């Protein structure tokens, strides 16, 4: 049809522009009112106002919903019958007879209305018919969390949702995994969907860019924002989490890790209103380890400021010591302002919002700024045509510091405490000052780094979608949706020439411009009807889906600054400038189908299938079909169970599904590179092509139960799942160089995961004035590698090689989150072998399995106590039985900066438990070690120990993530003010306390940027500042 | 309304497309295909990898000592490390698929010349690779979709190497009327597209391949004549030497890798590599006399600091102490480095040049028995290209713009001499020997870049003219033309000198095939028959069957060499470098494990004697 992709592109662009035009003109034109205005409050039997109650004109789909205060406003003709419904309450009808109509809802414990969940493409599905686990989070939960991004706000609230932030720094990326890791080298993030349109949640991946091999740009030392952080939490109406491949099967490849579905606020019908909210938040770093201040730099008890390690003598009396760690810290301040206006009629609603977030971090110089502007609305255009649309603009700016062993914390801990580090400039005001006393020149002042180097990114992004819903005939619909997520991102990394040992650097400047453009089209058509006296329900749906991910990157890198203090690519030696470009495009077309039969609204069977065609696979393998089947049975609708009053609802469910997954772009053909050798020409790069790549397949099955008991006061859910990930497309898989390559892209790994998720929510107290609710959720998952090529003993993610020789090693029979390292040598009996000469344990030269990072249990606890207008709520999250790599402590031991190292050196001589490796170690009478070792006589090496020493097992951890006290101004007070509709004041404390048996900085740290993909760096604690403790105070006002 | 609906529906489905929509997986930033000749420059330049690993191999051939590759110098290896795996990486990856593509594409396009050049290099690389590592995955190499790569035994690899070389000759001799313009000449950094020289090179590969088999029991019956024939069609003069020319450019080169791996700009030979005392002994004729009862050197009663020990009677290369014309081998001046004459004075004065003092280090320390060995550039300091006193761009072969030497006419002549010797054609052997020494003089002289008088800024400490004069005297002297006791030692030790240090890999081949002159009886040198767990008994220099006079391993029974190998060696010297760790031990373990007679995963696999050095067929 189209002769070239360019034409195709511009055609589509025009089409999208046309839709936007329609969107803006129609949404404003339709805001006209009619009839009389009816308003009132909807409350429950105790008088508590009920928000979100649906009020419909009988026989139509026109209507409204109550607001936060249970109030509603609708324009209808007098005498109209209104149908008022809400989940858990009996549906009732009221005839309009005046301008005020207050309604009292009666709880309906036994019969539940149609609870709908948001499924794929913004479609609603009856919760009863869904066979896989889903969970919906209300938008207010997100806004009330005190978090600046919605991803962090979800943490602890959804069983099976693991969120690991890469640091507590402003704008840090987050790694999100639903259920379990499903890919050992690719992305494990779920698909984010906003109003039916995929949202890009990428983090910057520095590999392959100009200057990319330098430490300025690596996933261990640098981190740039995840694009998911862009979304304004205030725009969220609700979030539905579709877990596992099954729940999101219709989304195809990208949702094989599950999906997080965001529905945005579209404005409410009735009286227009203005919402204003803001908060101010103060944060302080805590939880970083204390440094010893007893012994000075040196070795073997002798002070010598030539050493960075602190194994010297005692500081002389009266010696002034400085808290150099404190010198890099400050109180972080965060402020957010949000204004939203909304209004409309039962025909059309519109909402616009503006939000500004300014944040400074707990580490000096770190900053994050975000501006959100959004516009959304919906309109019933004709009887058969409905329109919805939303658009969000986000602008961000982020100043960061580096991480891990390049971090200010690590460097500050190296600085001799006899010297005031905060005085970081040399006398000329330009060079980096070397510390007093210290004689070597291998220390870098982190403050010089922070104030003279730059790790910065900024972005402008627009995420928009429009959809049209046709109902050409009764019981049928056609929905067409176009979405577009497009962003322009700039990354700067600049290094001052004097930020180098002996001030002898060249300076370097790296600039990367990375744009993406993700347009998508989804067309769905469906039909549903009921037969046999409404006993048999049938619904069918087919869809066509198309999406593109286009990335355009250009980068330039140069060194040798002309003016040391000026940061620009124009300030480098022109001869050193290297530039690179990288452009990729991925396109997927898909056809989906769904067929559901239901009996008596009690038993449902759903068949779903999708076929994708992906541009990233070889032509002969680029089409892949995957089916799924779901069943659900509402046990509580059986007559004999209906009689049991305590049981309100029990649903049994199960599903089996497959999801195919394509490769990343450009994995099929080789990529030739220019060489840096005389004569130039071309050569292959590290990675070999694979012309036979096949789609990888995730097969999942789950069973579960959802229930509500005791007048719905107890709600619970439980799921057990198993998945098999086969034909894994592994990038960077290593085999013998006889392949002709160092790295290969292959379909090689197969592994299985299984686990469970459970949640229970109890209204412990429920009276008119006092309610107390407690929720507990937990999840457990295990995995096992089933197949790797026979000759490969271990596959590892090189970026997890962060502390000693510990890394994430994947081998057959072990979990994919296994840690491997060089264990101590042991005899057949398992005793550690001791060197007969030194008395020290011997370390094996081979890598072996040392532990599993995946905890036995991840859990969250929520609690909410409400007394009249006062609400106190809390959120705890934690883990049990985790294994953590304590890289921080290892570094501190090596440098002698920890108090533990002081204890060791001052302690008695130590005899390591084990047997001497003297040839008798495997006989019946091995020689027990009796050689005592005096730590004091050793330099730093002995304190560093072996890999096994830094793996802490069975870590228990619980953190009070959120404590919130909110006060809503009473109605009578509000009535006096004509202006105010409602007013809330609140105080939130985040990350207040952590209880743990872990001895490092952060047991839930993640030492790797989310950009890395694969198994990630959760469970590696390497000198990262944990989430700071913060307090915020906020205000939210709705104006009349 | 229905009409509208149909209209809108058709509008949407107009976006549903065709195959072209999905055809976007093309790399617009890097090509996936290149013409054969575009691979050529890279393939030739990758031979810098030989110099990379030369730093591990030179200590194993007792040319250098090192503080970096000390495990190799001590006949062990770096556990869990890729070190000394660069030739592996070069053959399989850096040349690897690039070379395969060049050959296959050229054959498809009937570009016989380019294909022939490809086969010649392939033969050279695989010959080198198997000599260093022994068994290799060859049949399974470059086969798509394989997840394991089984090993081929060396005997098959040897035959295949020669087959590739003959294939190369056949292709190069074919009429090829394609117009290449400068496609080959400007990308071929070895012979600039000179077909005749490439044919000679392919024959040189065959000679070098067969030459490593001279100590096999069936050498004379099976291989000798083929070697002699190939040598006659191989290089005819030092003009045919195979070298890879490079752009150089030192600090102003656009990429530092334009410079020689051993030049000062790359900083790869700081002061952690230095000449071995054995090199100094051979080059300067100061192989000491050992007391066969104690293994001790004899201290001279009137010793000066430079000559503290009594010397062995029979020096093979030279006898510098005798200050008469023909006794001084000027190659010492360029091949060895010296701290004498720090100010580069009188570089054309023979009397001055002859007074230079040379010190060699031990295997793992620059501090030798007599003095401290300097860096290859001639200072007891890290290499530097700036400062008050520095090494400039380096000197001789250790210079930013010096070409890489792959093989020489001299080497081929020594191979020929050895083959004649083995077949009892002593006169022909002596003629080839003389041509070899003479050729090495020319080759050595070619790379001299004389330093500036009075300026301690690097360069050689002799002029080319003086070198040539002294060389002529030497060639006429008692150690070459005037030789009266011509022996295998003269051939092999002159070959060793000519290979110094660029041909360390081949020198190590020779030492291994003569089993380091270990004193053994029977056909198989092994524990109990040549060595025990702790010591290796080597032949005394007085033993007429000892090839390398003065060569003692560490450990051996002589002073300064007593000690033990790593316990895993089980008393044996190293006979091969283990395959690259992160290719084979991590990702191809099972295939390595099933090797016989010693498994590739055995702790002593590095002592497994390769087929070429084994007198008969290997036990299975």
């Amino acid at each position: 049809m189209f002769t070239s992709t360019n034409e195709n592109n511009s055609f589509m662009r025009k089409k999208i522009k046309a839709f936007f035009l329609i969107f803006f003109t129609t949404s404003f034109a339709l805001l006209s009112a009619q009839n009389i205005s009816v308003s009132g409050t909807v409350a429950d039997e105790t008088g508590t106002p009920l928000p979100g109650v649906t009020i419909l004109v009988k026989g139509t789909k026109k209507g409204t919903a109550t607001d936060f205060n249970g109030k509603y406003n609708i324009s209808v003709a007098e005498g109209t019958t209104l149908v008022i419904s809400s989940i858990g309450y009996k549906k009732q009808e009221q005839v309009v007879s005046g301008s005020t109509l207050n309604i009292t809802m009666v709880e309906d414990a036994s019969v539940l209305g149609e609870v709908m969940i948001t499924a794929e493409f913004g479609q609603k599905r009856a919760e009863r018919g869904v066979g896989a686990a889903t969970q919906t989070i209300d938008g207010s939960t997100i806004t009330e969390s005190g978090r600046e991004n919605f991803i962090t706000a979800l943490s602890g609230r959804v069983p099976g949702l693991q969120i690991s932030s890469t640091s507590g720094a402003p704008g840090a990326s987050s790694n999100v995994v639903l259920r379990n890791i499903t890919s050992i080298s690719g992305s494990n993030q779920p698909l984010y969907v906003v109003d039916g349109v995929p949202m890009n949640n990428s983090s910057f991946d520095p590999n392959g860019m100009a200057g990319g091999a330098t430490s300025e740009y690596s996933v261990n030392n640098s981190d740039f924002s995840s694009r998911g952080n862009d979304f304004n939490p205030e725009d969220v109406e609700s979030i539905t989490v579709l877990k596992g491949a099954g729940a999101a099967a219709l989304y195809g490849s990208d949702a094989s890790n599950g999906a997080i579905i965001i529905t945005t606020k579209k404005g409410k019908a009735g009286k227009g209103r203005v919402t204003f909210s803001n908060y101010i938040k103060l944060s302080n770093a805590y939880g970083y380890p204390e440094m010893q201040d007893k012994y000075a730099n040196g070795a073997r008890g002798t002070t010598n400021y030539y050493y960075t390690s602190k194994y010297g003598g005692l500081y002389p009396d009266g010696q002034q010591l400085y808290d150099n760690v404190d010198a890099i810290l400050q109180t972080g301040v965060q402020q957010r302002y949000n204004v939203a206006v909304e209004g409309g009629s039962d025909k059309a609603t519109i909402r616009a919002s503006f939000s500004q977030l300014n944040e400074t971090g707990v580490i000096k110089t770190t900053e994050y700024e975000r501006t959100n502007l959004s516009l959304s609305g919906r309109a019933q255009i004709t009887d058969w045509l409905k329109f919805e649309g939303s658009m969000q603009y986000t602008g961000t700016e982020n100043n960061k510091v580096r991480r891990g062993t390049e971090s200010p914390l690590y460097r500050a801990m190296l600085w001799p405490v006899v010297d005031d580090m905060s005085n970081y400039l040399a006398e000329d005001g330009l060079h980096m000052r070397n510390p007093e006393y210290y004689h070597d020149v291998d220390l870098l002042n982190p403050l010089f780094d922070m104030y003279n180097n730059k790790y910065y990114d900024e972005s402008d992004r627009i995420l928009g979608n429009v959809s049209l819903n046709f109902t050409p005939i009764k019981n049928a619909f056609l929905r067409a949706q176009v979405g577009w997520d497009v962003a322009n991102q700039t990354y700067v990394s600049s290094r001052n020439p004097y930020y180098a040992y002996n001030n002898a650097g060249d300076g370097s400047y790296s600039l990367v411009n990375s744009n993406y453009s993700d347009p998508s089209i989804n067309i769905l058509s469906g039909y549903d009807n009921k037969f046999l006296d409404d006993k048999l329900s049938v619904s069918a749906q087919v869809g066509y889906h198309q999406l593109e991910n286009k990335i355009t990157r250009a980068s330039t890198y140069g060194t040798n600054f002309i003016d040391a203090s000026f940061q620009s690519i124009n300030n480098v030696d022109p001869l050193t400038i290297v530039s690179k470009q990288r452009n990729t495009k991925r396109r997927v077309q898909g056809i989906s189908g769904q067929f559901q039969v239901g009996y008596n609204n009690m038993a449902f069977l759903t068949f779903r299938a999708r076929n994708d065609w992906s541009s990233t696979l070889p032509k002969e393998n680029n089409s892949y079909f995957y089916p799924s089947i779901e069943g659900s049975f509402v046990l509580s609708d059986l007559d004999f169970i209906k009689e049991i009053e305590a049981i309100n609802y029990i649903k049994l469910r199960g599903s089996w599904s497959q999801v195919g997954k394509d490769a990343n772009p450009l994995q099929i053909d080789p990529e030739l590179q220019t060489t840096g050798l005389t004569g130039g020409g071309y050569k292959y790069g590290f990675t070999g092509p694979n012309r036979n790549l096949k789609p990888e397949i995730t097969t999942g099955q789950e069973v579960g139960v959802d229930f509500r008991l005791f007048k719905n006061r107890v709600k619970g859910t439980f799921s057990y799942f198993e998945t098999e990930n086969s034909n894994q497309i592994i990038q960077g898989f290593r085999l013998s160089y006889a392949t002709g390559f160092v790295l290969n892209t292959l379909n090689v790994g197969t592994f299985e995961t299984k686990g469970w998720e459970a949640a229970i929510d109890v209204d412990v107290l429920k009276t008119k004035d006092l309610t107390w609710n407690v929720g507990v959720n937990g999840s457990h998952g295990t995995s096992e590698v089933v197949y790797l090529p026979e000759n490969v003993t271990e596959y590892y993610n090189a970026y997890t090689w962060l502390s000693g020789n510990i890394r994430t090693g994947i081998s057959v029979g072990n979990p994919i989150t296994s840690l491997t390292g060089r264990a101590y040598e042991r005899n057949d009996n398992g005793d550690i072998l001791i060197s007969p000469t030194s008395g020290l344990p011997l370390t094996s030269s081979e890598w072996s399995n040392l532990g599993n990072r995946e905890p036995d249990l991840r859990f969250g606890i929520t609690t909410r106590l409400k007394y009249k207008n006062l609400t106190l709520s809390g959120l705890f999250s934690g883990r049990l039985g985790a294994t953590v790599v304590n890289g921080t402590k290892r570094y501190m031991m090596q440098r002698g900066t920890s108090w533990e190292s002081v204890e060791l050196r001052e302690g008695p001589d130590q005899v390591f438990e084990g047997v001497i490796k003297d040839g008798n170690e495997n006989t019946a009478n091995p020689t027990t070690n009796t050689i005592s070792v005096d730590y004091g006589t050793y330099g730093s090496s002995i304190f560093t120990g072996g890999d096994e020493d830094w793996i802490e097992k069975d870590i228990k951890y619980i953190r009070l993530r959120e404590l919130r006290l909110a006060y809503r101004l009473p109605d009578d007070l509000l009535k006096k003010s004509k202006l105010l509709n409602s007013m809330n004041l609140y105080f939130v404390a985040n990350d207040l306390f952590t209880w743990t048996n872990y001895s490092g900085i952060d047991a839930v740290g993640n030492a790797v940027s989310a950009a890395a993909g694969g198994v990630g760096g959760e469970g590696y604690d390497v000198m990262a500042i944990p989430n700071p403790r913060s307090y915020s105070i906020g205000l939210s006002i709705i104006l009349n | 309304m229905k009409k509208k609906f149909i209209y809108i529906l058709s509008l949407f489905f107009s976006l549903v497309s065709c195959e072209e929509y999905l055809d976007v997986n093309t790399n617009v930033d890097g090509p996936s295909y290149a013409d054969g000749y575009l691979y050529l420059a890279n393939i030739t330049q990758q031979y810098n990898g030989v110099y990379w690993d030369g730093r591990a191999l030179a200590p194993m051939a007792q040319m250098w000592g090192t503080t970096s590759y000390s495990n190799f110098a001590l006949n062990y290896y770096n556990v869990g490390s890729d070190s000394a795996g660069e030739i592996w990486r070069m053959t399989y990856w850096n040349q690897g698929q690039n070379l395969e593509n060049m050959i296959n594409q050229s054959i498809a396009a009937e570009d016989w010349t380019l294909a022939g050049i490809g086969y010649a290099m392939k033969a050279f690389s695989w010959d080198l690779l198997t000599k260093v590592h022994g068994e290799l995955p060859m049949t399974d190499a470059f086969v798509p979709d394989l997840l394991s790569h089984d090993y081929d035994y060396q005997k098959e690899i040897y035959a295949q190497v020669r087959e590739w070389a003959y294939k190369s000759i056949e292709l190069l001799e074919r009429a090829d009327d394609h117009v290449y313009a400068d496609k080959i000449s400007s990308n071929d950094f070895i012979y600039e597209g000179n077909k005749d020289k490439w044919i000679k090179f392919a024959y040189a590969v065959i000679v070098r391949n067969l030459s490593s088999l001279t100590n096999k029991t069936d050498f004379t019956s099976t291989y000798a004549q083929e070697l002699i024939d190939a040598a006659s069609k191989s290089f005819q003069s030092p003009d045919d030497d195979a070298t890879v020319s490079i752009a150089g450019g030192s600090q102003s080169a656009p990429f530092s890798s334009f410079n020689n791996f051993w030049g000062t700009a790359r900083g790869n030979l700081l002061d952690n590599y230095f000449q071995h005392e054995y090199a100094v002994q051979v080059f300067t004729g100061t192989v000491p006399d050992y007391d066969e009862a104690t293994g001790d050197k004899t201290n001279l009663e009137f010793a000066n600091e430079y000559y503290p020990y009594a010397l062995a009677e029979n020096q093979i290369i030279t006898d510098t102490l005798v200050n008469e014309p023909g006794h001084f081998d000027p190659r010492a001046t360029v091949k060895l480095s010296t701290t004498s004459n720090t100010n580069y004075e009188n570089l054309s004065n023979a009397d001055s040049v002859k007074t230079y003092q040379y010190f060699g280090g031990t295997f793992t320390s620059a501090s030798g028995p007599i003095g401290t060995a300097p860096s290859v550039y001639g200072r007891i300091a890290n290499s530097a290209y700036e400062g008050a006193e520095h090494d400039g761009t380096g000197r001789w072969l250790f210079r930013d713009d010096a070409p890489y030497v792959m093989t020489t006419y001299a080497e081929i002549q020594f191979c020929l001499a050895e083959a004649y010797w083995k077949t009892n054609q002593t006169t022909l052997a002596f003629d080839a020997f003389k041509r070899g020494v003479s050729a090495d003089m020319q080759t050595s002289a070619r790379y001299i870049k004389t330093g500036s008088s009075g300026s301690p800024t690097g360069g050689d400490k002799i002029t080319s003219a003086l070198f040539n004069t002294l060389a002529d005297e030497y060639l006429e002297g008692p150690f070459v033309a005037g030789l009266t006791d011509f022996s295998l030692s003269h051939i092999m030790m002159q070959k060793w000198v000519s290979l110094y240090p660029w041909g360390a890999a081949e020198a190590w081949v020779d030492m291994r095939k003569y089993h380091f002159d270990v004193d053994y009886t029977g056909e198989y040198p092994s524990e109990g028959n040549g060595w025990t767990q702790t010591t290796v008994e080597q032949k005394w220099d007085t033993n007429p069957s000892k090839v390398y006079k003065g060569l003692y391993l560490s450990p051996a029974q002589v002073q300064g060499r007593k000690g033990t190998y790593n316990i895993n060696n089980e008393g044996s010297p190293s006979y091969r470098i283990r395959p690259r760790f992160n290719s084979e031990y991590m990702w191809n373990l099972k295939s390595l494990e099933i090797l016989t007679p010693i498994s590739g995963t055995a702790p002593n696999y590095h002592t497994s004697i390769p087929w070429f050095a084994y007198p008969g067929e290997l036990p299975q």
Side-chain angles (χ1 to χ4, degrees), chain A residues 677, chain B residues 48-56 64-69 86 246 251 256-274 375-377 381-385 391 393-394 397-400 404:
Chain A
L677 298 170
Chain B
N48 76 70
V50 182
Y51 274 33
W52 185 316
D53 279 355
R55 297 175 304 170
W64 285 355
T66 173
T67 53
S68 281
Y69 281 99
E86 186 59 23
I246 51 175
Q251 283 66 51
S256 78
S257 46
F258 273 33
N259 295 305
N260 190 299
F261 193 83
W262 286 348
T264 54
R266 300 280 289 273
N268 290 321
L269 300 178
L270 298 169
D271 64 353
N272 43 355
Y273 301 92
F274 38 83
S375 73
V376 299
Y377 312 104
N382 272 342
S383 72
Y385 49 77
D391 305 306
T393 60
L397 285 182
F398 319 110
R399 186 155 40 81
D400 289 345
Y404 296 108

Side-chain angles (χ1 to χ4, degrees), chain B residues 8 30 33 44 46 99 282 421 547:
Chain B
I8 292 164
Y33 174 87
T44 56
Q46 289 298 346
L99 182 49
V282 171
W421 180 272
V547 179

Side-chain angles (χ1 to χ4, degrees), chain A residues 336-393:
Chain A
R336 190 170 77 194
Y337 303 93
N338 197 76
V339 186
V341 292
E342 61 188 307
S345 67
D346 53 348
K347 284 273 190 193
T349 60
I350 189 164
R351 179 179 185 273
S353 78
F354 171 80
S355 168
Q356 176 69 35
L357 170 76
N358 292 335
E359 181 181 1
T360 55
V362 293
I363 296 192
K364 286 173 183 169
T365 74
T366 57
E367 285 175 300
Y368 180 61
E369 265 182 44
R370 187 178 71 209
T371 307
N372 293 91
L373 196 59
S374 65
L375 182 64
S376 61
R378 57 162 71 94
Q380 185 81 38
I381 304 208
T382 67
D383 286 350
W384 50 270
L385 179 61
K386 209 167 84 184
F387 163 86
E388 259 185 36
S390 71
M391 232 175 121
Q392 287 100 19
Y393 161 81

Side-chain angles (χ1 to χ4, degrees), chain A residues 444-503:
Chain A
L444 299 178
N445 190 315
L447 286 161
F448 190 89
D449 175 25
M450 291 149 72
Y451 287 103
N452 291 282
N453 296 336
K454 200 172 179 181
Y455 305 100
Y456 172 79
D457 63 287
E458 62 178 36
S459 72
D460 292 293
R461 173 201 204 160
I462 291 175
L463 173 64
N465 79 86
V466 286
S467 68
L468 289 171
N469 219 43
F470 304 89
T471 39
I473 52 168
K474 201 174 167 239
N475 298 330
F477 74 92
L478 174 73
R479 180 184 159 93
Q481 183 175 48
V482 177
W484 206 353
D485 188 356
V486 53
N488 175 346
Q489 310 162 90
T490 305
Y491 302 90
V492 173
S493 173
S494 171
R495 193 182 175 108
N496 187 293
Y498 304 130
Y499 184 64
Y501 297 149
N502 217 8
N503 278 290

Side-chain angles (χ1 to χ4, degrees), chain A residues 1-5 8 11-12 15 19 384-385 468 470-473 478 480-482 519 521-523 544 546-548 581-589 613-617 619 622 664-673 675-687 690-692 733-742 746-748 787 789-796 807 822 845-847, chain B residues 1-2 4-5 8-9 11-34 38-46 48 79-82 85 88-90 92-98 101 105 137-138 140-151 186-187 189 245-248 254-259 266 580-592:
Chain A
M1 253 172 274
F2 303 116
T3 47
S4 83
T5 50
N8 191 350
F11 179 79
M12 218 168 70
K15 189 159 285 196
F19 276 118
W384 50 270
L385 179 61
L468 289 171
F470 304 89
T471 39
I473 52 168
L478 174 73
Q481 183 175 48
V482 177
I521 296 172
N522 291 300
I523 299 164
Y544 168 76
Q546 178 177 310
L547 70 93
E548 175 179 299
Q581 60 173 34
R582 185 81 180 161
N583 299 288
T584 61
K585 218 182 259 182
R586 165 180 178 255
R587 283 179 176 173
V588 176
Q589 283 180 305
W613 289 264
S614 167
S615 68
T616 64
L617 292 167
K619 278 213 174 69
N622 79 347
N664 284 340
L666 307 181
Q667 305 292 315
I668 304 170
D669 295 318
E671 179 170 1
L672 298 173
Q673 302 174 343
T675 79
L677 298 170
T678 304
Y682 275 107
K683 68 174 293 241
Y684 282 95
F686 286 106
T687 309
N690 190 333
R691 293 184 205 274
N692 302 317
F733 195 80
R734 290 162 189 269
L735 288 173
S736 168
Y737 283 16
T739 52
F741 299 97
V742 175
L746 296 168
N747 288 101
V748 279
Y787 167 76
E790 196 191 21
N791 281 20
V792 175
T793 43
E794 185 191 338
Y795 169 85
Y796 63 86
R807 62 192 184 197
R822 293 185 174 181
S845 61
E846 314 265 313
W847 270 260
Chain B
M1 193 200 79
K2 249 184 190 166
K4 272 186 212 156
F5 175 63
I8 292 164
L9 193 72
L11 185 78
F12 271 114
F13 279 90
S14 69
L15 293 169
V16 180
S17 87
C18 26
E19 274 206 1
E20 282 130 54
Y21 177 74
L22 293 177
D23 193 13
V24 291
N25 205 27
T26 313
N27 195 329
V28 292
D29 304 314
S32 62
Y33 174 87
L38 285 171
Y39 292 110
L40 184 56
N42 169 64
I43 297 165
T44 56
Q45 291 296 336
Q46 289 298 346
N48 76 70
V79 179
S81 154
D82 287 343
W88 188 278
R89 193 170 182 255
M90 173 191 90
Y92 283 112
W93 176 53
N94 279 325
Q95 294 184 328
Q97 195 69 49
N98 303 296
N101 276 11
Q105 287 175 207
M138 182 179 70
D140 284 357
F142 312 121
V143 179
D145 296 333
L146 286 186
L147 298 178
S148 64
H149 296 80
D150 282 345
Y151 280 69
S186 68
N187 288 300
F189 288 86
S245 58
I246 51 175
F255 297 100
S256 78
S257 46
F258 273 33
N259 295 305
R266 300 280 289 273
R580 188 177 171 99
F581 180 80
N582 271 307
S583 165
E584 303 306 296
Y585 286 89
M586 284 299 294
W587 322 111
N588 202 22
L589 198 66
K590 286 259 160 62
S591 297
L592 193 55

Side-chain angles (χ1 to χ4, degrees), chain A residues 103-114:
Chain A
I103 297 153
T104 303
M105 300 295 284
V106 180
E107 254 186 73
D108 184 348
S110 59
V111 183
L112 274 144
E114 285 290 280

